[in-house]
Amino acid sequence: MLSRAAILSGQASKSLVANCLRATSTSTANTQVAKTDEKSGEVAFSRPVRQEPGKVRMGFIPDEWFQFFYKKTGVTGPYTFAVTLSTYLVSKEIYVLEHEYYSGLSLLIMWAYGIKTLGPKLAAYLDKEIEAYENAWNESRVNQKQTLTEQISDEEKAQKSMEGQTLLVEAKRENVALQLEANYRERLISAYSEVKKRLDYQVEKQNIERRITQKNLVDYVVAKVRSSITADQEKQNINKCISDLAGLAKA
């Protein structure tokens, strides 16, 4: 019974040590997860890394216990303590070597042999499975990261496209403003042309009226002058002209 209890206690101590080491590694990993960026002041979370368990001797005894004895008693201290304690327990019949002890001893030998022969293969297989599992998670993480990166790139392209749309709207507004300006100038030219035509019409009208008035006046004066000249005066004028022409011919 005591041997079975010793085996169970050994297994319990092994699991306890493993849990302690796991808790220690987990706390260490958690402390290393959050790091503050000095430039931006933001907390940058890094992915936790799998921690390996601490070293053990004889399959379940932590190496730290041996290191504790090394500082006090030297290298042989842990083994001397174990032999001395075992001898004391057996000699005082605190631990009785009954048939369960030999059954436990045989189980211990078989357990050690199984660990030595099947342990490396099993450990390699489990490590391979763990690596495959971890690679699957990393692959999904990488794929998700790539997808998010592509989404960010698409979002940046969409933002640039929106900026292009803003520039396009501004260009359209400028184009409409130029069209309105051109239409305004065309209307100004049209108004100027129409006003000029009307002014030219008034000037031409005044000129025509002046010419008609002048012509009528000249015709009136000529008609009055002709009506005031008698036949004798006309004959005298003709003779006077003929004499003048003769004098000019002689000269």
Side-chain angles (χ1 to χ4, degrees), residues 66-78:
F66 289 88
Q67 298 296 331
F68 173 77
F69 279 100
Y70 288 167
K71 297 178 181 179
K72 303 294 182 180
T73 61
V75 178
T76 59

Side-chain angles (χ1 to χ4, degrees), residues 14-105:
K14 182 178 180 181
S15 62
L16 180 60
V17 170
N19 291 328
C20 292
L21 292 175
R22 183 179 299 173
T24 305
S25 61
T26 304
S27 61
T28 305
N30 291 330
T31 55
Q32 294 178 354
V33 166
K35 294 181 180 179
T36 304
D37 192 356
E38 296 180 356
K39 295 182 180 180
S40 61
E42 298 179 354
V43 179
F45 292 93
S46 60
R47 183 175 176 82
V49 182
R50 184 180 66 183
Q51 301 293 326
E52 297 295 335
K55 295 182 180 180
V56 294
R57 297 190 182 184
M58 299 181 184
F60 65 96
I61 302 177
D63 187 66
E64 288 81 2
W65 293 7
F66 289 88
Q67 298 296 331
F68 173 77
F69 279 100
Y70 288 167
K71 297 178 181 179
K72 303 294 182 180
T73 61
V75 178
T76 59
Y79 306 100
T80 303
F81 176 75
V83 172
T84 303
L85 181 60
S86 301
T87 304
Y88 173 76
L89 293 176
V90 172
S91 63
K92 296 297 183 179
E93 293 184 356
I94 299 174
Y95 183 78
V96 180
L97 301 178
E98 54 183 4
H99 61 279
E100 292 292 339
Y101 168 76
Y102 297 101
S103 298
L105 184 61

Side-chain angles (χ1 to χ4, degrees), residues 3 7 100-111:
S3 62
I7 293 173
E100 292 292 339
Y101 168 76
Y102 297 101
S103 298
L105 184 61
S106 61
L107 291 175
L108 179 61
I109 294 172
M110 293 174 63
W111 177 61

Side-chain angles (χ1 to χ4, degrees), residues 203-219:
V203 171
E204 189 67 21
K205 180 180 178 182
Q206 291 178 2
N207 291 331
I208 291 173
E209 289 178 354
R210 188 181 297 110
R211 284 196 298 269
I212 292 173
T213 302
Q214 185 178 1
K215 183 180 179 181
N216 292 330
L217 181 61
V218 171
D219 292 339

Side-chain angles (χ1 to χ4, degrees), residues 98-224:
E98 54 183 4
H99 61 279
E100 292 292 339
Y101 168 76
Y102 297 101
S103 298
L105 184 61
S106 61
L107 291 175
L108 179 61
I109 294 172
M110 293 174 63
W111 177 61
Y113 177 77
I115 290 176
K116 293 296 183 181
T117 56
L118 301 177
K121 296 181 180 179
L122 181 61
Y125 173 76
L126 294 177
D127 290 338
K128 185 177 180 180
E129 292 293 328
I130 291 173
E131 289 178 359
Y133 185 74
E134 186 176 1
N135 291 331
W137 276 100
N138 288 331
E139 184 178 359
S140 63
R141 182 177 62 85
V142 170
N143 293 333
Q144 186 177 6
K145 183 178 179 181
Q146 185 177 1
T147 302
L148 293 176
T149 303
E150 293 177 355
Q151 291 179 357
I152 292 172
S153 179
D154 294 338
E155 181 65 23
E156 292 177 352
K157 291 180 180 178
Q159 291 179 2
K160 292 181 179 179
S161 178
M162 290 300 296
E163 293 177 358
Q165 292 293 329
T166 304
L167 295 176
L168 182 61
V169 170
E170 292 295 332
K172 289 183 177 180
R173 288 179 179 176
E174 292 180 359
N175 190 10
V176 171
L178 291 175
Q179 291 179 358
L180 293 175
E181 182 68 21
N183 191 7
Y184 171 72
R185 291 181 182 272
E186 289 179 358
R187 291 184 178 182
L188 283 179
I189 293 174
S190 178
Y192 171 78
S193 299
E194 294 296 330
V195 172
K196 186 174 182 300
K197 288 179 181 178
R198 285 170 172 76
L199 292 176
D200 292 341
Y201 171 77
Q202 294 295 329
V203 171
E204 189 67 21
K205 180 180 178 182
Q206 291 178 2
N207 291 331
I208 291 173
E209 289 178 354
R210 188 181 297 110
R211 284 196 298 269
I212 292 173
T213 302
Q214 185 178 1
K215 183 180 179 181
N216 292 330
L217 181 61
V218 171
D219 292 339
Y220 176 75
V221 172
V222 170
K224 287 295 183 180

Side-chain angles (χ1 to χ4, degrees), residues 225-238:
V225 170
R226 286 182 179 179
S227 62
S228 63
I229 296 174
T230 63
D232 294 336
Q233 291 178 350
E234 185 176 0
K235 186 176 181 182
Q236 290 177 1
N237 290 330
I238 291 172

